[in-house]
Amino acid sequence: MSGATVTLLYFARLRESLGLAREEMLLPAGVQTLQVLRAHLAARGGAWAEEMAPARKLRAAVNQTLAQGDAPLKAGDEVAFFPPVTGG
Amino acid sequence: MSGATVTLLYFARLRESLGLAREEMLLPAGVQTLQVLRAHLAARGGAWAEEMAPARKLRAAVNQTLAQGDAPLKAGDEVAFFPPVTGG
Amino acid sequence: MSVRIQEADFDTAAEIAAMRRGNPKIGAIASFIGVVRDINDGDAVSMMTLEHYPGMTERSIGAIIDQARGRWEVLDALVIHRVGTLKPTDQIVLVVVACSHRGDAFAACEFIMDYLKTQAPFWKKEVTPQGARWVDARASDDEAAGRWRN
Amino acid sequence: MSVRIQEADFDTAAEIAAMRRGNPKIGAIASFIGVVRDINDGDAVSMMTLEHYPGMTERSIGAIIDQARGRWEVLDALVIHRVGTLKPTDQIVLVVVACSHRGDAFAACEFIMDYLKTQAPFWKKEVTPQGARWVDARASDDEAAGRWRN
């Protein structure tokens, strides 16, 4: 599906490194899973390449639920990237 | 050792059945362990025979520490008999 | 480390605050409160009395705490157990364990409760519509304490 | 069942009292308080800030509590987690679980804490003499949560 807009959120160390807490994105054609979205963001280079690198330990949530790389994306989704959690 | 006096304590259901909370006893010759003392008390008959019967679940402490039947007794010991505990 | 046997009720928050005061090494506090229920073995309970063996009670709970300190890193521990007459919803027992890390705190707190249930000389007598009766010890409590022997 | 994320401190005794009020089925209350320590990974900590993901935080902790209720007989459960700026000896998190029996209360309380540590979206940034740094997740926390998968 093309023409799908999603909201991207970044937290904690990621938010600081990227200098961004939130953005709206029109999903490019072919970006239909979390994993592909991550690779797409890494392609922005600089801090993006570093933080989104496959070797980097990163967690992601789709619509506020922890999700794996093969999670499908659709219009209106809220997608969040963040480091492993450290609460409690 | 003969001529040894010990203090006997009874708690909870045992205290009520026997109608006794505490007594001083001159240990008879041959009564040198908890187990033999229990048999000696059972020989008093009546409620004693019932409560001290080998089949009866009973706990004992010597000098305020849980003890097994083969625990030796000596002059001045505080020996307590009671049902399994139910606190907490 | 502290053990108190008393008729009076206890104030959990005050006890935890006193334990924490001035010890910045404490990172985890596990606590347990036992409460009188209004039903036991299927019968309504209106009241109970708790009898104990003064002297041995404090000594045996002290020994239980020492065992816990030998197994886990315990910064502080407190046990308060009430005796006398209690009614449903009254508090019976408080165990508080303070550690640097939560795994130690949870384990030591549960260990102390499990051993207290099977080794500390307390006896409950409860009043039900059928009259007063001494509460029977539970096999499940022996099993709970047995889990820690390994 | 209740989940609260707040900057304000919490009053453990008041929370436990509110939970117990009017529920005579409660026989066992296990609770856990997490506290800011003055040292982490060998460095002195003077301050920390806790960031979270509003919305997902409440949702994920609610899901953790639901899992606990599916495994044990839980009469009531409460999680309060603070966010914002905290200093050593400040309280961070409170978990209270009320059950009829103590085994359920201990297990559910520890389960909730272990999952909260690995699944709820909170992040700590601490200030040490070397400057501010994001706290790294611990492998030991993943292992603690992993114990419950069986």
Side-chain angles (χ1 to χ4, degrees), chain B residues 10 12-22 47-48 51:
Chain B
Y10 308 101
R13 191 200 64 232
L14 213 60
R15 174 178 48 72
E16 287 188 348
S17 303
L18 304 176
L20 188 68
R22 177 193 181 101
W48 293 89
E51 292 291 351

Side-chain angles (χ1 to χ4, degrees), chain A residues 9-16 57 59-61 63-66 78-80 82-88, chain D residues 50-56 59 81 92-93 113 116-125 134-137:
Chain A
L9 304 175
Y10 309 102
F11 289 96
R13 190 199 66 232
L14 212 61
R15 175 179 48 73
E16 287 188 348
K57 269 195 188 170
R59 298 283 180 273
N63 298 325
Q64 305 189 350
T65 300
L66 283 174
E78 177 177 297
V79 181
F82 43 80
V85 304
T86 58
Chain D
L50 259 152
E51 176 174 334
H52 77 124
Y53 179 176
M56 179 173 168
R59 182 188 288 248
H81 202 297
I92 307 176
V93 61
M113 267 309 299
L116 188 152
K117 287 287 250 185
T118 54
Q119 299 195 3
F122 294 99
W123 301 274
K124 286 179 186 145
K125 188 176 192 177
W134 289 99
V135 173
D136 277 333

